[in-house]
Amino acid sequence: MAYQLTEEQRMIRAMVRDFARDVLLPTAAERDRSGEFPAENLKTMGELGLMGMNVPPEYNGAGVDTVSYSVALQEVAYACAATAVIMSVHNSVGCGPIYLFGSDYLKETFLKPLAAGEKLGSFALTEPGAGSDPAGQRTTAVRDGDSWVINGTKMFITSGKNSDLTVVTAYTDREKRHKGISAFVVEKGTPGFSVGKEEEKMGLRASDTVELIFEDCRVPAENLLGEEGDGFVIAMASLDGGRIGIASQSVGLSQACLDAAVSYAKERVQFNKPISSFQGIRWMIADMATQIEAARLLTFNAAAMRDRGENFTAAASMAKVFASETANKVAYQALQIHGGYGYMKEYPVERYYRDARVLTIYEGTSEIQRTVIANHVIGK
Ligand code: CAA
């Protein structure tokens, strides 16, 4: 690999690779079939320091850099892409907004158990009528004495059923458009907060995706993140980090596709030769490897920019769009190389192909990433 990892980053990669390949990989196909949430594995991942990776130790996090986080996510995604999205959402848009924008009280109360892996976090921005355009959301929060009263419905929320708390955005002043959106921490079990429909998905089946319903849900005033009206910027800034997470998940899954394709091509004999000796297959694999390397470098670049404190918004979008589209291409090619076997559940590429599909959709579609990049390059 061309990117020069530090000694610490290489150690983290080795540790997570061992865990992911020993523990997550052997059971990933069964989780895909059953849809069982990997609760026990997530507990172990908390103990390994994977559930608050960029949070400093004073709040129970591992306090490592974003490149290390990316490396760890790539390894988890290589073994189980469903577990990787739970880890990514928890770290980037669960812990992230509370660490970056939360008061001391919110960090003490909510960030500490999240970063220790004792509690799981989720992020509720999307609504039935507001996906790419989050300012179109309809959820409201009205101040009443010492509380905020939230009403509305969120949709497609990763880990919404299994998380212990969720960061929720809502309009506190609709007149002000995006400047009137605020963000709140809402705990599971708060009266008026319930889980609605659970989606039946094409891939990432061990990760739950649900509707969240708020009906006169009263949360304490101190659960407001940042200031009133900061919610849109909190969501955007958290998603910048989230997009590095999804890019990393895409790279890990892509590498799994490549390794599966190489291994199959070497053992599959047709016309008295392994198919890996045919130029058509060799060039396909060469292109897959090249695109994955480029995706990995873009992802590390965005992560390193974040670590240096630079504005990484466009870099994260470039990494996300390129890595997620690469994952879809290489999953397609890996399945093609497997021929008829690739279409059967007996081989993991069938799952990789389904798991890859959402990568160009969630945490901002490819079209939104190109909009962000164009705004950066051309201006609005
Ligand atoms: N960081 C900080 N601030 C930002 C920002 C960023 N990355 N992007 C925008 N802002 C600020 C702007 O500076 C601006 O602030 P001012 O008004 O003070 O100038 C404000 O936010 C509004 O910005 P825009 O005018 O650019 O906003 P817009 O309405 O045109 O939207 C967008 C821009 C890029 C299209 C944005 O709406 C977007 O990213 N949409 C996609 C949403 C998305 O990714 N949803 C995914 C759901 S979450 C999910 O999938 C998680 C999961 O469970 C897996």
Side-chain angles (χ1 to χ4, degrees), residues 85 89 93 123 125-126 131-135 156-158 178-179 232-233 236-237 239-240 243 246 313 361-365 368-369 371-372 375 380:
V85 72
V89 164
V93 289
F123 175 72
L125 175 73
T126 301
S132 291
D133 177 17
F156 297 155
I157 306 307
T158 302
H178 66 264
K179 285 189 164 60
F232 191 85
V233 168
M236 288 302 116
L239 280 168
D240 285 345
R243 289 165 186 169
I246 302 306
T313 298
I361 297 171
Y362 64 21
E363 300 219 11
T365 59
I368 287 294
Q369 307 310 328
T371 300
V372 172
N375 287 347
K380 280 192 95 171

Side-chain angles (χ1 to χ4, degrees), residues 173 201 229 368:
D173 186 348
K201 302 199 301 278
I368 287 294

Side-chain angles (χ1 to χ4, degrees), residues 106-117:
L106 291 176
K107 287 182 189 155
E108 279 297 320
T109 315
F110 297 120
L111 184 58
K112 278 187 161 179
L114 283 181

Side-chain angles (χ1 to χ4, degrees), residues 161-175:
K161 189 175 87 173
N162 287 288
S163 58
D164 301 284
L165 59 92
T166 183
V167 172
V168 182
T169 58
Y171 267 107
T172 44
D173 186 348
R174 191 173 290 283
E175 300 282 293

Side-chain angles (χ1 to χ4, degrees), residues 93-141:
V93 289
C95 296
I98 304 180
Y99 173 54
L100 294 174
F101 299 96
S103 61
D104 289 345
Y105 162 78
L106 291 176
K107 287 182 189 155
E108 279 297 320
T109 315
F110 297 120
L111 184 58
K112 278 187 161 179
L114 283 181
E118 292 157 10
K119 289 194 170 171
L120 188 69
S122 59
F123 175 72
L125 175 73
T126 301
E127 298 187 3
S132 291
D133 177 17
Q137 65 186 268
R138 301 174 68 92
T139 298
T140 56

Side-chain angles (χ1 to χ4, degrees), residues 17-51:
R17 183 171 291 181
D18 281 351
F19 163 75
R21 297 196 189 179
D22 290 354
V23 178
L24 299 178
L25 197 143
T27 47
E30 181 48 35
R31 264 192 304 283
D32 172 59
R33 255 189 298 277
S34 68
E36 188 187 342
F37 190 75
E40 278 306 307
N41 293 333
L42 290 167
K43 205 181 283 176
T44 311
M45 288 163 66
E47 286 156 14
L48 293 174
L50 302 181
M51 298 306 272

